[in-house]
């Protein structure tokens, strides 16, 4: 159940009540594809860096260790020892990324495992069954994530099918939630809006899926090649046609700048692999822009990554030490930077919520963006 | 200053007072070659797994990031944020491992960096200078670590030179500790006994180095190819000729069994890369022998690595989850196993100290060894 606490223009400040606790929104979900955050972060670490929601991937967990194994082990929460909310994607995005290995039909998608080439079929029912086995807090509907650019006739037909698939997802989840041996009988379902960059198709789709009265609604198929301006435009067009009193989720987005702009356009949920991936490559976020810790100028730098940050890494370690760890190929380097980066994102969301609470989001957003660009010299080329 | 609290046969229970706090002995030092424990363990993790002494490597830190850099950054303790004792080896072992790249003279050793082939010279003075720059708690003397087997005439000449080098080390450390800009002016020095498996050469050498009244004495050049029986025999012969009221250190040893046998023969300090290296390969220690977590039988195992262990890993995660992390190539797998293994070693040392305190070391040792071999099926082939 979503409770809209406050608005500021289209920006929303909400609370989403789930069987695994309340999520304060806007929120950034921390991505642990295979039931672990890359960079050797444990779920104990996640608790230290203000993570509210962990996100795992249906496709990857279906292949390894297998969703039936996870079910036998009591579901994802018990498996990875995390008692707060978990969102699982539907596998759609990964399946559709395997362009050369798949075939789409009305029933679903035939594709080959990227690990061993094994033939797999996944449709709406299969995706729901896998996510029910994983027992995540929130399941995502199985959709077709359309690449950009895409021809209008293809997009129209695909979106129609995604709607039919969504109806099948809802029906299957209702069935699964009623079964005796289902671990999370209150699993929630988010639908996904598609339509590439055709605003009218997206709006029509948004209206139709809104009628299904789901637990939340995502905008999918963005951040897949279009410009930022196109993405923001789509949000401006489509978000007004998604229920304001349900959480909205912009899938796979994005940079701190993207998040600030999208909150302004009414988005509640975000997720992105960027902070963890950048951290593993020594790229770290600060309130004055990104830094590349491999830069020689940090060799003797005794200050933390960000002097204004109170994450477990900045409270303890210097840039010089972390730079040395990267040079020496010590895994600890990655862990420290991933922890800092996720903390940075989670803290920015906390700041956004406070700014919304205190009716000063526009001022906060302006100051934050100015901070990022103030120190152009520090931005990674 | 070493305080002998209790003995049991030749086994010693002691307290070693250092400028960075008291070390309870017998102790196992946790190896962080490049100023970090491999497997993404932070010094915060080290505090959680009962680590008393961290060990770093002079040769490796001289090359990366450079001991002068570490000095400018305030020494190793400040660099890696660890305020308990640190022991640095002398670089001797690594230098002598580069057999094809080195040339030994009376002055020291000419060798080539394993990273970029750069020519480097290291003698007793250079080793002491590097270790003084690193500002470790305990510096090790620069010696020649002789491979086994070795011809008697070579060993005799080498040990003579190691003695002359030790005198130079002592003199240089006294000078360095008196300099105004030295970070740790109370740096301690341990001498190293050598002599391959020639007991008479080792005994003669032990007598001579004992006269130098150093802070502690190591037995070096063991665990380099001889049998366990030969190693134990050497300890029985030589330890009685090292000062009982100084700590003794068996370098590079070893397995839990080796440690129990060597404590019985009078050893206080141990170090070994084995628990961390094994952990990174899914091999974990338990009180019932070693396990290989990649074994298929653990796929659905919901128990911790060792039900009798209260380490941060066993309190939280199952074998099934850790096995999945290895299969999925998640770095967290290594971190969890390294943490568990080091905790296992550090806890065994705690148990040894308690058994010595309570005059039941022989019984403890017997029961522990029986436990390890009780479950032969679980031992890694």
């Amino acid at each position: 159940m979503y409770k809209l606490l406050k608005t500021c223009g289209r920006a929303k400040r909400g609370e989403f009540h789930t069987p695994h606790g309340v999520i304060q929104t806007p929120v950034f979900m921390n991505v642990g594809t295979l039931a672990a955050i890359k960079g050797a972060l444990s779920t104990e670490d996640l608790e230290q860096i203000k993570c509210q929601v962990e996100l795992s991937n249906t496709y990857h967990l279906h292949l390894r260790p297998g969703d039936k194994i996870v079910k036998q082990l009591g579901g994802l929460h018990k498996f990875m020892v995390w008692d707060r909310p978990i969102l699982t994607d539907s596998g759609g995005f990964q399946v559709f990324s395997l362009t050369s290995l798949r075939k789409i039909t009305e029933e679903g998608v035939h594709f080959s495992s990227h690990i061993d080439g094994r033939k797999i079929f996944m449709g709406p029912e299969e995706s729901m069954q896998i996510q029910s086995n994983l027992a995540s807090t929130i399941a995502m509907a199985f959709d077709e994530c359309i690449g950009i650019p895409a021809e209008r006739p293809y997009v129209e037909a695909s979106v129609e099918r995604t709607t039919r698939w969504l109806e099948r997802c809802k029906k299957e989840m209702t069935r699964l939630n009623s079964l005796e041996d289902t671990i999370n009988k209150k699993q929630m379902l988010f639908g996904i809006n598609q339509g590439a960059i055709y605003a009218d198709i997206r709006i029509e789709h948004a209206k139709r899926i809104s009628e299904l009265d789901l637990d939340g609604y995502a905008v999918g198929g963005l951040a897949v090649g279009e410009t930022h301006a196109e993405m923001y435009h789509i949000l401006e067009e489509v978000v007004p046609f998604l229920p304001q009193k349900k959480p909205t989720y912009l899938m796979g987005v994005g940079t701190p700048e993207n998040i600030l702009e999208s909150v302004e356009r009414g988005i509640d949920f975000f997720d992105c692999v960027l902070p963890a991936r950048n951290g593993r490559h020594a790229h770290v976020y600060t309130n004055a822009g990104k830094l590349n810790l491999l830069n020689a100028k940090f060799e003797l730098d005794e200050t933390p990554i960000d002097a204004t940050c109170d994450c477990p890494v900045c409270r303890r370690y210097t840039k010089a030490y972390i730079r040395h760890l990267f040079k020496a190929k010590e895994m600890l380097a990655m862990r420290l930077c991933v922890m800092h980066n996720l903390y940075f994102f989670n803290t920015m969301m906390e700041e956004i919520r406070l700014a919304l609470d205190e009716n000063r989001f526009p001022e906060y957003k302006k100051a934050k963006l100015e901070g990022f660009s103030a120190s152009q010299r520090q931005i990674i080329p």
Side-chain angles (χ1 to χ4, degrees), chain A:
Chain A
M1 189 271 291
Y2 181 77
K3 196 169 155 192
L4 182 63
L5 300 177
K6 204 144 201 169
T7 58
C8 171
R10 281 187 186 158
K12 302 195 290 173
R13 167 75 179 94
E15 262 180 16
F16 189 52
H17 294 252
T18 82
H20 299 105
V22 176
I23 300 166
Q24 300 293 335
T25 75
V27 64
F28 181 79
M29 298 186 282
N30 295 187
V31 182
T33 300
L34 278 152
I37 306 283
K38 294 202 185 298
L41 271 70
S42 65
T43 43
E44 264 183 298
D45 291 328
L46 278 193
E47 288 166 8
Q48 278 196 50
I49 56 169
K50 306 184 188 175
C51 173
Q52 290 195 76
V53 189
E54 193 272 347
L55 186 155
S56 285
N57 291 94
T58 288
Y59 166 73
H60 289 288
L61 290 169
H62 175 58
L63 297 187
R64 258 188 328 211
D67 49 288
K68 286 178 184 164
I69 296 283
V70 175
K71 183 175 186 178
Q72 282 186 72
L73 292 165
L76 264 184
H77 284 89
K78 195 173 168 202
F79 186 53
M80 63 192 294
V81 195
W82 174 252
D83 61 7
R84 303 181 194 177
I86 296 176
L87 182 142
T88 41
D89 69 0
S90 64
F93 182 77
Q94 278 78 25
V95 169
F96 291 101
S97 302
L98 305 167
T99 37
S100 64
L101 303 170
R102 65 170 162 83
K103 186 179 162 235
I104 310 174
T105 70
E106 180 63 25
E107 274 313 292
V109 189
H110 295 270
F111 63 100
S112 302
S113 155
H114 75 285
I115 298 175
D116 56 10
R118 182 165 59 96
K119 300 255 181 263
I120 300 176
F121 173 77
M122 195 185 288
E125 289 77 12
E126 289 74 16
S127 174
M128 291 301 106
Q129 286 155 16
I130 296 169
Q131 294 184 74
S132 181
N133 285 340
L134 297 174
S136 56
T137 313
I138 303 165
M140 295 303 299
F142 189 73
D143 62 331
E144 179 181 358
C145 179
I146 307 163
I148 290 175
E151 296 297 321
R152 188 174 175 100
Y154 184 85
V155 175
E156 281 173 340
S158 166
V159 167
E160 284 292 323
R161 185 170 53 210
T162 285
T163 308
R164 292 191 295 276
W165 283 359
L166 178 57
E167 286 159 355
R168 284 163 58 189
C169 284
K170 188 183 176 187
K171 194 172 160 197
E172 179 66 4
M173 168 150 300
T174 304
R175 187 185 75 82
L176 292 165
N177 279 355
S178 73
L179 297 181
E180 194 159 340
D181 75 335
T182 292
I183 297 172
N184 177 14
K185 295 185 180 64
K186 294 181 174 173
Q187 192 169 37
M188 302 168 121
L189 177 64
F190 280 18
I192 305 176
N193 174 256
Q194 292 287 355
I197 51 167
Y198 301 103
D200 59 327
I201 298 178
R202 283 205 177 254
I203 289 169
E204 190 54 36
H205 188 235
K207 288 182 189 167
R208 286 186 60 189
I209 63 179
S210 296
E211 289 164 14
L212 292 177
D213 191 29
L214 303 172
D215 298 299
Y217 290 91
V219 182
L222 290 180
V224 294
E226 79 288 3
T227 65
H228 286 168
E230 284 171 322
M231 179 171 85
Y232 299 146
H233 174 68
I234 290 294
L235 293 180
E236 284 157 18
E237 295 281 342
V238 77
V239 173
F241 293 95
L242 292 172
Q244 195 195 27
K245 298 205 169 168
K246 297 279 172 86
T248 50
Y249 165 23
L250 180 55
M251 300 180 82
V253 172
T255 65
E257 293 83 352
N258 291 158
I259 290 173
L260 288 162
E261 295 295 347
S262 303
V263 164
E264 190 171 78
R265 289 161 175 83
I267 299 295
D268 290 282
F269 280 62
F270 298 89
D271 82 283
C272 191
V273 296
L274 211 62
R277 183 175 294 161
N278 276 335
R280 296 201 303 282
H281 292 91
H283 293 187
V284 289
Y285 294 85
T286 81
N287 281 314
K290 275 195 288 184
L291 305 178
N292 181 344
L293 291 184
L294 291 173
N295 197 310
K297 73 177 169 184
F298 299 126
E299 187 175 36
L300 288 165
D301 193 325
E302 296 189 71
T303 64
I305 294 170
D306 187 338
T308 68
C309 176
D310 61 352
C311 83
V313 180
C314 288
R315 282 200 307 264
R316 194 166 173 115
Y317 300 103
T318 63
K319 292 194 200 78
Y321 181 60
I322 301 172
R323 180 177 183 277
H324 157 67
L325 296 176
F326 272 108
K327 289 288 195 180
K329 300 187 174 29
E330 286 290 339
M331 283 165 52
L332 178 59
M334 296 191 193
R335 177 164 165 244
L336 297 182
C337 289
V338 173
M339 281 186 79
H340 167 82
N341 281 356
L342 291 179
Y343 187 94
F344 180 88
F345 274 65
N346 294 335
T347 301
M348 189 183 83
M349 302 316 291
E350 197 174 66
E351 292 168 359
I352 288 172
R353 293 192 297 271
L354 191 64
L356 286 166
D357 284 339
E358 297 176 351
N359 303 308
R360 53 176 177 76
F361 177 70
E363 297 81 354
Y364 167 78
K365 181 193 159 207
K366 185 165 176 281
K368 196 83 177 172
L369 289 175
E370 281 172 3
F372 293 154
S373 58
S375 174
Q376 284 297 333
R377 281 173 304 125
Q378 293 190 321
I379 288 177
I380 295 164

